[in-house]
Amino acid sequence: MLKIEELRNALKYAKDYQEIRIPKKRGGWRTIMIPSPELKKVQRKILRFLQRMYILHDSSVFGLRSGSYIKHAKFHADSRWLFTFDLKDAFPSVGKQRLRILLRKTFRESLIPLKQEWPDDRIEEFICLITELTTYNDTLPQGAPTSPLLFFLVIEESRLITKLFYASQPMKISCYVDGFVISGSRPPSVRTKKAIFKCLEGSGFEANFKKTRQFDCHQGAPLVVGLRINGTEKRISLPKRTIMAWRGIIHRAAMTTDPCEKTDLFLKIQGFISSLKPIYPEKLPPQIAKPYFLFLQSLKGIPIEKTKSSVTKPLTEGNKSSQEKTQAKQKQTCLIDWL
């Protein structure tokens, strides 16, 4: 249970952030505020407390607990047209005053036992302490573990998803953090787009028109939250650039003889392979399957040689039949029932 005395003691760490600037692909900088270990520990306790107290009712909101970015992309995999937009200055648009009003309302609806035990002035202190420990310079800091959930609470309180749902009918809508995707068998009309932007304005938000896009999935696979949506085949996949980058990493791991480097790469590769299971439930893409099979062989001490075409293959006896070679190739792509 979150104790008010613990929040009071942590108040001295409320401004302990490290600012990191990351360059954006289209120019400019993205500012990430990393809380100190002491502050992050308290913020995680606040996050668990809010998760127990608050239940997210909207199934089209992803990014919390069971809602991953993969589910967000799969939600639109069977649609032909996509209309995507981001909220402009999403986290900075939520200030302390708005957060206090939201928490008061949430406490009033969800914390009846707490109200019976605490006087109103102590509840108000509790809300103010949570606000101070989860904001920085009167905004939600991008990098704090509590910011995504608090931002979702603001969206839920403003009923933004519900408004957009009715404005975009009969199309589907979902959001992941501050990014929204609307999809359907037809492109949204001009009237629908105006209604969407009007809903954003009425809820105190604004669309980032630099990131507003409309795609026809039959003319190509658009990129949504780092995944390609193939509307013709109704599936999602990784971008080719990402696959080829990891192919090179796995190939390097298979060829290296340094045990320390191989161990480090093994942990990274295993994490990457595990993340592919929801994207490719049946089998790995062949560009990844073959080098990964060779990497697993290198862990068992099977020597690998380099061919003229720079493709690695395990050393085998020269008297193997073509049928045996075909079976070995099938094993490489299947990877023993996809691990």
Side-chain angles (χ1 to χ4, degrees):
M1 180 65 182
L2 193 63
K3 298 180 180 179
I4 193 169
E5 291 78 11
E6 188 176 6
L7 297 181
R8 289 171 181 164
N9 295 333
L11 201 59
K12 57 186 176 183
Y13 304 117
K15 304 300 180 183
D16 289 357
Y17 288 89
Q18 179 185 1
E19 182 176 333
I20 298 177
R21 302 182 70 198
I22 302 175
K24 296 182 180 180
K25 291 182 179 179
R26 295 180 177 86
W29 297 86
R30 176 177 285 106
T31 303
I32 307 295
M33 305 302 298
I34 307 298
S36 65
E38 297 82 5
L39 179 58
K40 183 179 287 187
K41 182 179 179 180
V42 177
Q43 288 177 341
R44 291 193 182 280
K45 289 186 177 182
I46 295 173
L47 176 62
R48 290 192 292 268
F49 172 76
L50 293 174
Q51 286 174 339
R52 290 194 300 267
M53 180 186 69
Y54 186 84
I55 299 175
L56 191 67
H57 301 288
D58 203 320
S59 60
S60 62
V61 175
F62 298 91
L64 294 177
R65 285 183 283 189
S66 61
S68 68
Y69 74 102
I70 297 175
K71 292 182 179 180
H72 174 55
K74 280 186 174 181
F75 188 67
H76 304 278
D78 59 346
S79 301
R80 175 175 177 177
W81 289 90
L82 298 181
F83 179 66
T84 65
F85 60 91
D86 287 1
L87 298 182
K88 186 177 181 181
D89 299 330
F91 285 4
S93 65
V94 180
K96 290 182 180 180
Q97 184 63 25
R98 188 172 187 177
L99 194 57
R100 287 194 191 100
I101 295 173
L102 169 67
L103 290 176
R104 288 191 193 104
K105 182 179 179 181
T106 305
F107 273 55
R108 185 171 61 252
E109 295 175 353
S110 305
L111 290 183
I112 296 176
L114 184 63
K115 286 185 176 183
Q116 293 174 349
E117 296 176 8
W118 286 8
D120 291 340
D121 57 343
R122 195 172 186 189
I123 293 178
E124 187 64 26
E125 182 187 4
F126 191 72
I127 292 173
C128 291
L129 287 172
I130 291 179
T131 304
E132 290 295 328
L133 291 169
T134 56
T135 58
Y136 181 74
N137 289 342
D138 200 25
T139 62
L140 290 178
Q142 188 172 353
T146 51
S147 294
L149 177 60
L150 292 173
F151 181 72
F152 278 130
L153 294 181
V154 172
I155 289 180
E156 180 76 4
E157 188 271 337
S158 65
R159 303 187 63 81
L160 177 60
I161 296 291
T162 305
K163 295 176 184 177
L164 293 176
F165 174 79
Y166 287 108
S168 59
Q169 281 291 330
M171 305 182 78
K172 297 189 298 184
I173 180 172
S174 69
C175 76
Y176 185 80
V177 191
D178 62 339
F180 289 77
V181 179
I182 297 174
S183 65
S185 58
R186 296 181 180 181
S189 63
V190 176
R191 181 179 179 181
T192 299
K193 293 178 183 178
K194 288 183 178 179
I196 290 171
F197 297 141
K198 187 176 180 180
C199 289
L200 294 179
E201 185 179 352
S203 299
F205 296 103
E206 183 182 354
N208 187 350
F209 291 103
K210 293 181 179 180
K211 293 185 177 180
T212 301
R213 301 285 187 274
Q214 182 171 298
F215 304 99
D216 181 1
C217 294
H218 287 190
Q219 302 297 324
L223 191 65
V224 175
V225 290
L227 296 172
R228 294 286 181 191
I229 296 182
N230 194 322
T232 56
E233 300 180 10
K234 298 182 180 181
R235 63 180 179 85
I236 61 174
S237 61
L238 284 176
K240 185 177 180 180
R241 180 182 297 179
T242 303
I243 291 177
M244 298 312 294
W246 275 103
R247 176 185 172 91
I249 294 173
I250 298 171
H251 173 78
R252 178 162 60 92
M255 298 301 299
T256 184
T257 57
D258 185 356
C260 294
E261 183 181 10
K262 189 178 285 287
T263 302
D264 293 340
L265 291 175
F266 172 78
L267 298 175
K268 294 179 181 179
I269 291 170
Q270 288 301 102
F272 170 69
I273 295 297
S274 300
S275 69
L276 294 182
K277 191 71 175 179
I279 304 174
Y280 302 96
E282 297 180 359
K283 65 178 182 179
L284 277 173
Q287 300 94 329
I288 296 294
K290 185 174 181 179
Y292 183 61
F293 181 77
L294 299 177
F295 171 63
L296 294 180
Q297 285 185 323
S298 70
L299 295 177
K300 298 177 182 179
I302 301 176
I304 296 175
E305 68 175 0
K306 200 180 268 189
T307 62
K308 293 181 180 180
S309 60
S310 298
V311 178
T312 60
K313 64 178 182 180
L315 288 173
T316 57
E317 298 179 4
N319 296 327
K320 282 197 173 183
S321 64
S322 59
Q323 184 178 1
E324 289 175 330
K325 292 180 180 179
T326 304
Q327 292 176 352
K329 188 174 183 179
Q330 290 175 350
K331 288 181 181 180
Q332 292 179 8
T333 55
C334 292
L335 276 178
I336 313 171
D337 295 331
W338 202 155
L339 303 177

